[in-house]
Amino acid sequence: MEDVDSANTGHPRRWAILGVLVISLLVVVLDNTVLNVAMRTLADPVHGLGATQSQLEWAINSYTLVFAGLLFSFGVLGDRWGRKRFLLIGLVLFGIASLLSAYAQDPGQLIAARAFMGVGGAAIMPVTLSIISNVFDPRERGKAIGIWAGSVGLAVAIGPLLGGFLLEHFWWGSVFMINVPIILFGLAAVALLVPESRDPKPGRIDLVGVVLSVIGLVGLTYGIVDGGEHGFGRVSVWAAILGGAAVLAAFIWWEARTTHPSLDVKLFRDARFSASVASIGLLFFASMGSFFFVGFYLQLVRDYSPMESGALLVPFAVGQMVFAPLSTNLVKKFGMRAVSAAGILLATATFGVLATLQVDTPVWVIVVNFFFMGAGMANVMPPATNTIMSVLPREKAGVGSAVSNTVRQVAVAMGVAVLGSVVAGVYRGQVETATAGLPEPVREVADESIAGAYGVAARLGEAGRPLVDAANDAFVQAMHWAALGSVLVGLIAAVVVLRWMPRRADLPAGPGAAGAGGPGAGGQDAAAGAARDGAGLPINAAPAAGSPGAGDGTQRPSRLSTVG
């Protein structure tokens, strides 16, 4: 009889498969980090597309909204029809969308191409994490997810540098062309190495839930972005915001009652699951909202080139690359709650530093701050993600991955929209005095964004220098308010973790975890949050009614469901 205490249920090629999945993930993350350093170029009417700040926000949010809206469905479809198949389809779609983005002729075409890119990203992202959950034994899952999360830091490091180099030597569309060779390599590697896997008992597709989630997210975000650009004193803005919120409420109501939900809201009865999801969402809301305006600060206010701006973001990536794989050991030693809370508080402190930046802040302050921001976030993502994945059995991994990634992407969209609106509103109020004497059409351009003010100042020649100085000061003040918003959200995230995230003492370990490795697994898989039975739940906790694993009360060993 096989010794379940020592048996490893992972795939024999699991580490090579992890490498392939990291490459597949790189293409998604690279594209978004490259976009951060391309903001100034895309806003340039001569060398770019002449995009406004609102259009640049939509270049980000069109991708994010489609991505987030389809993640639920694609996570389920991947579990149902084959994760490898969906990964290959996603890579192909992402490659086509990259080509369309590179050759866009105006901001509208770029926004549309980025939305199509979101379709490919939605097919790629959930299956990478669910394949990891399937090919790795629970005892190794924490380490694998740490490496997976650390690869995000690698992409953050490569993306801005490579994007900056391309922007300085080629046309702006080249930043999207870098995806193509990575995708071609990824397609070959996935076809050769990754095994096919699927849920042996798939559910039906929740079409109503998909439609409601997309409509709700688009309506809410459109209202926030439009309000930030033109002011919140109009009925149309609040109609979009309140209408989107109402549709999202209807989505939650529907998901709680349908027999085949895209998002099983009953999962949120588990405090570990809810606290982990909330910590990811709040942290990414705060951090990515800040990153959006930092790109403008570095390239416009500080006049760094795209490549120099990319280099200044490298410390953030290094912090993630170093600490994400180490987070597993830190969780073992100090517990999940302590590590996650410390990571959030460290990241929050760096948001506070952003609220002190001036037009002449020493560059070493920026570099050090980005490093600690990356280090803080690296100690939140892997433990939280692993906890989310541990709540579900392996065959339902796509659902857990979809929840984790959807919450993160929605948070990114909301962070960019809300904090971007703060920046736009404060900037407009601060710069109006300096633009009061300009002709109305020109004044509107300068009032809209700092990039617009720079464009107006360039046409004014030497007489435009006072406008540049006023725009810089106005933008820095606006950035401070947005950074303080990030601090507030970060503090809320810390409270959530300290109140609801399980402590080390709450994570039982010991014999009886079928398929989890018994007593040995309890220590080795501490980063996953708990010793688990076959359904991925704590040994001493019964699954919520209607949740995966509920029903007959038996414990089933977690085994890899593979085909082919």
Side-chain angles (χ1 to χ4, degrees):
M1 181 176 178
E2 185 181 19
D3 182 4
V4 297
D5 287 353
S6 60
N8 190 314
T9 61
H11 193 282
R13 297 195 306 269
R14 56 192 177 278
W15 295 108
I17 292 169
L18 177 62
V20 174
L21 297 177
V22 164
I23 292 171
S24 300
L25 179 65
L26 282 178
V27 72
V28 177
V29 181
L30 267 176
D31 181 74
N32 287 292
T33 56
V34 164
L35 198 59
N36 284 331
V37 299
M39 292 294 186
R40 181 177 180 177
T41 305
L42 290 173
D44 189 324
V46 177
H47 301 100
L49 296 177
T52 66
Q53 181 169 312
S54 176
Q55 289 170 329
L56 291 174
E57 288 184 27
W58 275 109
I60 294 175
N61 283 333
S62 63
Y63 169 87
T64 301
L65 290 175
V66 173
F67 186 108
L70 294 177
L71 267 173
F72 291 130
S73 299
F74 282 8
V76 174
L77 286 172
D79 286 343
R80 181 188 185 97
W81 292 338
R83 299 174 181 117
K84 177 179 180 178
R85 177 182 300 173
F86 255 71
L87 182 54
L88 292 170
I89 291 173
L91 288 170
V92 170
L93 294 179
F94 205 92
I96 294 172
S98 297
L99 290 172
L100 293 175
S101 298
Y103 290 99
Q105 300 300 306
D106 56 55
Q109 290 183 13
L110 177 62
I111 291 169
R114 290 274 300 163
F116 181 49
M117 195 178 293
V119 179
I124 295 171
M125 182 67 82
V127 294
T128 60
L129 196 53
S130 56
I131 290 171
I132 288 174
S133 187
N134 270 268
V135 301
F136 279 91
D137 184 279
R139 291 167 292 183
E140 296 179 320
R141 187 185 299 154
K143 182 178 180 181
I145 290 178
I147 294 172
W148 178 86
S151 68
V152 174
L154 178 62
V156 172
I158 296 174
L161 284 174
L162 184 56
F165 174 82
L166 292 172
L167 287 171
E168 290 184 10
H169 294 85
F170 303 97
W171 101 112
W172 64 265
S174 62
V175 299
F176 295 106
M177 293 297 293
I178 63 174
N179 296 331
V180 176
I182 301 175
I183 288 173
L184 292 175
F185 178 81
L187 285 170
V190 169
L192 290 173
L193 292 175
V194 177
E196 185 61 281
S197 63
R198 58 173 62 97
D199 182 356
K201 297 180 180 179
R204 286 161 41 204
I205 305 302
D206 178 22
L207 294 177
V208 174
V210 172
V211 173
L212 289 175
S213 65
V214 172
I215 292 175
L217 289 169
V218 170
L220 180 62
T221 306
Y222 175 80
I224 293 172
V225 172
D226 190 40
E229 183 180 7
H230 300 294
F232 286 91
R234 294 172 298 129
V235 174
S236 60
V237 170
W238 287 104
I241 292 175
L242 296 178
V247 173
L248 289 177
F251 166 74
I252 295 173
W253 177 87
W254 171 261
E255 295 302 292
R257 286 159 179 78
T258 183
T259 57
H260 50 285
S262 295
L263 173 62
D264 185 359
V265 294
K266 298 182 181 69
L267 291 172
F268 289 92
R269 296 176 181 174
D270 188 318
R272 298 172 306 142
F273 185 87
S274 298
S276 298
V277 168
S279 66
I280 290 175
L282 291 169
L283 185 60
F284 270 81
F285 179 102
S287 60
M288 293 302 106
S290 296
F291 252 88
F292 179 76
F293 60 71
V294 164
F296 286 94
Y297 169 77
L298 292 176
Q299 294 191 47
L300 292 173
V301 177
R302 301 305 299 268
D303 198 29
Y304 289 114
S305 69
M307 191 166 185
E308 289 170 337
S309 299
L312 290 174
L313 295 176
V314 169
F316 173 85
V318 172
Q320 286 207 332
M321 291 168 61
V322 171
F323 285 95
L326 296 178
S327 62
T328 300
N329 294 329
L330 292 175
V331 169
K332 288 180 183 179
K333 187 173 182 179
F334 299 107
M336 187 181 308
R337 179 185 297 179
V339 172
S340 296
I344 289 174
L345 290 173
L346 177 58
T348 301
T350 65
F351 305 151
V353 173
L354 293 179
T356 68
L357 297 182
Q358 302 296 332
V359 295
D360 57 354
T361 298
V363 69
W364 69 263
V365 174
I366 301 172
V367 170
V368 172
N369 194 58
F370 280 153
F371 173 80
F372 283 112
M373 186 186 295
M377 294 182 65
N379 283 293
V380 179
M381 278 298 296
T385 302
N386 206 10
T387 301
I388 292 169
M389 300 303 291
S390 73
V391 172
L392 297 172
R394 289 183 178 185
E395 62 270 16
K396 298 291 185 182
V399 177
S401 177
V403 170
S404 172
N405 286 295
T406 300
V407 167
R408 186 172 75 245
Q409 292 300 323
V410 171
V412 169
M414 293 296 104
V416 171
V418 173
L419 297 181
S421 297
V422 171
V423 170
V426 175
Y427 168 83
R428 187 167 51 244
Q430 294 287 326
V431 82
E432 281 178 346
T433 302
T435 61
L438 297 174
E440 184 173 348
V442 177
R443 185 176 68 248
E444 289 179 357
V445 173
D447 285 348
E448 182 182 11
S449 68
I450 185 173
Y454 267 68
V456 171
R459 291 199 293 270
L460 294 176
E462 192 61 33
R465 187 65 219 178
L467 176 59
V468 169
D469 294 337
N472 286 343
D473 291 338
F475 185 82
V476 168
Q477 290 297 317
M479 184 177 71
H480 290 170
W481 281 102
L484 291 175
S486 293
V487 170
L488 177 61
V489 174
L491 292 175
I492 294 172
V495 170
V496 168
V497 166
L498 290 171
R499 174 63 180 84
W500 287 287
M501 186 76 81
R503 295 175 306 216
R504 179 172 48 182
D506 297 331
L507 306 179
Q524 294 182 46
D525 198 29
R532 292 176 290 274
D533 67 7
L537 291 162
I539 296 170
N540 63 353
S547 65
D552 59 11
T554 60
Q555 293 187 1
R556 299 176 180 83
S558 177
R559 288 292 183 265
L560 183 66
S561 173
T562 59
V563 295

